[in-house]
Amino acid sequence: MSGRLGIVPIDVLAALIIPRNALNDQGVWSSAEGKLNRSKSCEVSIYQDNLCNTSVLTMGRKKRNPKRIFVTEKICERKVAGKLNFDEKEAIEEQKGKNLFINEIAINVYSRLKLPLVYPMQDESLDDSDEEDTVELNFWPRFVFVSNLCLICMERSEETCESCGMVSYCTVRHMKQDRPKHRDLCKVLTEVCQIEGGLSLLSELSADDYRVYRLKLIEIIQCRLDRPLQLWEKEILLYPRVCCNCRRFSTTLKCCPACGIGLFCENHDGGHEEWCREFQVFRRMLFLQHKNGHIEPEIPDTFQKEPLHLPDNFDLLIAQLFGRSTYYFNMDCYTYCSLSHISSIPLTALYSMQISCENWKTIDTFVVHVIGAEFQYECINLHVWEKLFLHLLPNLKHLKLMFVGPELSLPTVPLDLLTAVKICSSCKSSGRRVKISFHPKKFYHDFCRSKQFIEPHLVCLFNPGLYRETGFKGKDTWPETIREFCKMKIPVCVTSYTKQEIPREMIRIKSIADVEMILEPQKNPFASIKPDRNFVSDDTVPLIYKNYYLTIVKGKL
């Protein structure tokens, strides 16, 4: 919902500067006119996260590869609501010895920085009997500007534009190549930021004033150009080429030799050690993305004989599910970040289920409500729920996902195609299903009073920004929704982009309803590890991650 503007990627921030309906070619969702034929394709712009711009919806009959089934056993013990009996404890202790190798081979994202791009495993055999209509979403990532990465190739750069000094090039050849495209913007940037001293006052501003000032600079530049800036052009001003410590603008700034992102003047030679490794991941990810476009990571495809206790660590879980596969060991940081990004929602929901629901091992039907859903994030990778939720709980027969939100906008595609989740032949033969329903343009408290309402076992709010009173279209609509989900007295999982946000979310909930804490705020072990720049509080937290912090509450009886 709009509350997410508390700490946001630049795509969302763009809505603060110019109207959404004027940004169709810059990353904002817009539906194609007219009806779509299932046998044809259409292009739409999708209001995705910081790194995506365009999607192509390919519709038609699609054959699927037969499922590769691996059998793994449950792994290390974790805190859950119900206490383990003696037999369970004994079995877990026995299993710990079998799974020692997992700790030895678990590879985190930092160890994958130098690996080349890996491609998903392909199975050449096809099951001709298994055909179905599907919607295939293929994203092409937009260009992301970083002040000291080459505007042409995203390599680390030493040369800056001779006029504006705000964009970089790795070679003189690339500078000359870009000159015709850069000329008009360069002229205005030079006038506003250098000749008129637009960047000379940055070091004297408070953190809040600095943010407001950058937005004002964007307005001025757009006015003089007489056109809206593209998203990457806004980033020239939102994340300018200034010293990380004092915000001094200079063409002689030195680049951090480790991450290639941090810039420092002669009075400062460092000071961002806390974030340097994360910026290394960010830079490598941008480079591979620019070179290779959007990639679809391989989802670990396993069937569990017993309900799987999730470990408190994404790296351990992925090592467990992939086993000793070559793909796992060769996975680069871009692919690994993308895997964590699309896995974060189902794994966070499953983690919350195991903590808050005593009968999670034996339940055969489980209903999840996702409040404040947006199609481009919560609803774009629905196929992952089968492999990373349904397949990990062998006793679960029916998983029902209900997405509700006033900002939930669906593409102009037949609804039966949008809600069709690919199910493997094994699940089909045993009657297992993932059922999807969308409830767009609707507040959750209104949905709860509708005929479509089904009582949930778990409610999820992913990065909602409950504490922001601007709410939807400038109105604070959260209080009624908070009262509604607390009144049901079922577990509610709430996540946030940063550690600093989650206490504010809890203060807001407790100011409206009486709740008990099932899980105190903690770092979410299944947060996305795909970094994105943070504008709203970049003075303290320069990078953000979806679902970074997690808490679980429940309305009191």
Side-chain angles (χ1 to χ4, degrees):
M1 295 181 70
S2 292
R4 298 184 188 193
L5 295 179
I7 296 183
V8 292
I10 177 59
D11 299 51
V12 182
L13 183 66
L16 297 174
I17 302 167
I18 50 181
R20 287 192 176 193
N21 57 13
L23 286 174
N24 288 343
D25 61 340
Q26 299 175 26
V28 179
W29 175 267
S30 66
S31 297
E33 294 292 334
K35 296 182 179 179
L36 301 179
N37 189 305
R38 292 189 184 210
S39 63
K40 297 181 180 180
S41 300
C42 71
E43 290 191 3
V44 297
S45 293
I46 189 163
Y47 181 53
Q48 182 70 348
D49 61 26
N50 188 16
L51 305 179
C52 291
N53 183 20
T54 305
S55 71
V56 178
L57 281 75
T58 306
M59 289 160 288
R61 190 167 293 278
K62 185 177 178 66
K63 295 181 179 179
R64 289 192 281 109
N65 294 342
K67 184 167 296 299
R68 295 180 301 277
I69 299 178
F70 305 94
V71 179
T72 60
E73 296 176 284
K74 65 181 180 181
I75 57 179
C76 57
E77 180 180 3
R78 191 186 55 74
K79 294 181 295 182
V80 292
K83 294 183 178 179
L84 299 174
N85 60 37
F86 176 81
D87 291 336
E88 288 175 320
K89 290 181 179 178
E90 190 175 47
I92 287 174
E93 289 301 320
E94 181 181 352
Q95 189 62 31
K96 284 180 179 178
K98 296 180 181 179
N99 289 309
L100 284 177
F101 83 96
I102 294 295
N103 291 290
E104 297 173 1
I105 68 169
I107 307 171
N108 63 26
V109 68
Y110 307 112
S111 301
R112 301 177 183 274
L113 281 170
K114 296 183 179 180
L115 295 177
L117 188 74
V118 64
Y119 292 93
M121 298 178 289
Q122 298 294 327
D123 192 333
E124 298 299 329
S125 59
L126 292 173
D127 184 358
D128 292 335
S129 64
D130 193 15
E131 295 183 351
E132 58 186 28
D133 288 330
T134 62
V135 174
E136 192 174 272
L137 300 174
N138 297 311
F139 300 106
W140 185 258
R142 73 169 182 87
F143 177 76
V144 177
F145 173 83
V146 180
S147 63
N148 51 324
L149 298 184
C150 179
L151 205 58
I152 299 297
C153 66
M154 297 297 287
E155 290 280 7
R156 188 183 303 191
S157 307
E158 300 295 335
E159 300 286 339
T160 60
C161 173
E162 296 173 348
S163 297
C164 69
M166 298 185 70
V167 300
S168 302
Y169 302 95
C170 63
T171 62
V172 174
R173 181 173 65 87
H174 278 179
M175 184 185 298
K176 291 181 179 179
Q177 177 183 336
D178 190 55
R179 188 168 294 161
K181 296 180 181 179
H182 179 58
R183 184 178 292 111
D184 292 342
L185 178 60
C186 179
K187 180 181 178 181
V188 178
L189 286 174
T190 303
E191 290 174 355
V192 174
C193 298
Q194 292 215 46
I195 298 174
E196 299 173 12
L199 296 181
S200 62
L201 300 176
L202 298 186
S203 59
E204 302 175 12
L205 300 174
S206 67
D208 288 337
D209 289 341
Y210 177 46
R211 280 183 278 275
V212 173
Y213 187 76
R214 284 175 283 174
L215 294 177
K216 290 295 183 182
L217 284 177
I218 289 175
E219 292 179 358
I220 293 170
I221 298 293
Q222 290 182 143
C223 182
R224 295 199 184 181
L225 283 173
D226 195 26
R227 68 169 176 86
L229 294 178
Q230 297 180 46
L231 289 175
W232 72 267
E233 292 175 319
K234 290 185 175 73
E235 289 172 329
I236 297 175
L237 296 158
L238 293 173
Y239 309 102
R241 188 179 174 84
V242 296
C243 175
C244 289
N245 291 334
C246 66
R247 302 195 213 112
R248 178 186 172 189
F249 172 70
S250 171
T251 57
T252 60
L253 297 175
K254 294 182 179 179
C255 178
C256 172
C259 69
I261 299 289
L263 291 167
F264 304 95
C265 66
E266 60 269 21
N267 298 324
H268 303 96
D269 59 356
H272 79 150
E273 291 80 5
E274 180 184 357
W275 295 96
C276 189
R277 284 209 308 174
E278 280 71 18
F279 274 117
Q280 290 178 48
V281 173
F282 182 62
R283 182 171 71 90
R284 179 62 176 168
M285 188 182 68
L286 288 181
F287 175 77
L288 290 175
Q289 175 182 272
H290 180 76
K291 185 177 180 181
N292 301 281
H294 174 72
I295 56 99
E296 285 288 343
E298 184 83 10
I299 308 299
D301 195 359
T302 68
F303 256 118
Q304 303 297 314
K305 289 183 176 180
E306 299 292 335
L308 177 66
H309 284 277
L310 293 183
D312 288 324
N313 186 292
F314 174 77
D315 298 323
L316 287 178
L317 175 65
I318 296 304
Q320 167 75 14
L321 296 181
F322 272 115
R324 297 180 180 273
S325 77
T326 302
Y327 179 80
Y328 170 76
F329 286 108
N330 292 340
M331 211 182 315
D332 59 277
C333 75
Y334 176 31
T335 303
Y336 199 66
C337 285
S338 299
L339 175 61
S340 80
H341 195 70
I342 66 176
S343 303
S344 180
I345 286 181
L347 288 178
T348 298
L350 179 56
Y351 184 72
S352 300
M353 173 196 188
Q354 293 185 356
I355 289 175
S356 59
C357 303
E358 293 186 6
N359 63 338
W360 68 270
K361 291 183 180 179
T362 57
I363 193 169
D364 65 351
T365 299
F366 196 74
V367 181
V368 180
H369 287 183
V370 179
I371 300 179
E374 295 178 354
F375 186 83
Q376 63 274 14
Y377 179 52
E378 286 92 347
C379 312
I380 207 71
N381 293 293
L382 297 175
H383 66 285
V384 181
W385 285 87
E386 183 203 18
K387 294 181 179 180
L388 294 180
F389 200 106
L390 197 64
H391 284 183
L392 305 186
L393 302 175
N395 296 319
L396 184 63
K397 298 294 184 182
H398 303 285
L399 174 61
K400 298 181 180 180
L401 307 174
M402 309 186 81
F403 298 92
V404 188
E407 292 183 336
L408 178 56
S409 298
L410 304 181
T412 312
V413 175
L415 191 59
D416 61 326
L417 289 183
L418 278 181
T419 57
V421 176
K422 298 177 184 178
I423 297 294
C424 68
S425 56
S426 297
C427 284
K428 283 184 177 180
S429 62
S430 58
R432 307 181 78 196
R433 293 289 185 272
V434 177
K435 186 176 181 180
I436 306 296
S437 66
F438 296 118
H439 306 274
K441 310 295 184 182
K442 188 173 290 188
F443 293 113
Y444 185 70
H445 47 269
D446 293 330
F447 166 71
C448 291
R449 299 158 194 160
S450 69
K451 294 181 179 180
Q452 294 81 27
F453 176 79
I454 299 175
E455 187 170 344
H457 298 91
L458 177 70
V459 168
C460 296
L461 296 97
F462 298 111
N463 316 294
L466 300 175
Y467 63 91
R468 292 186 61 83
E469 297 182 358
T470 49
F472 177 68
K473 293 185 177 179
K475 297 181 180 179
D476 187 6
T477 59
W478 280 121
E480 198 170 353
T481 288
I482 292 172
R483 280 190 286 269
E484 197 66 42
F485 66 64
C486 289
K487 184 173 66 177
M488 291 188 290
K489 300 178 178 60
I490 47 92
V492 178
C493 142
V494 182
T495 68
S496 67
Y497 287 110
T498 68
K499 179 181 179 180
Q500 291 76 13
E501 273 190 302
I502 204 73
R504 302 173 72 181
E505 304 283 49
M506 290 311 306
I507 290 172
R508 186 74 196 280
I509 292 175
K510 290 180 178 180
S511 71
I512 294 170
D514 194 12
V515 296
E516 62 175 294
M517 298 294 299
I518 296 178
L519 179 70
E520 293 289 341
Q522 66 167 46
K523 186 176 179 181
N524 180 9
F526 301 104
S528 170
I529 58 174
K530 185 178 182 181
D532 201 355
R533 283 179 297 192
N534 171 25
F535 174 77
V536 175
S537 56
D538 56 354
D539 54 314
T540 56
V541 185
L543 293 173
I544 56 174
Y545 301 85
K546 283 186 167 63
N547 303 325
Y548 184 68
Y549 249 67
L550 167 70
T551 189
I552 305 174
V553 300
K554 181 179 180 181
K556 285 188 176 180
L557 297 174

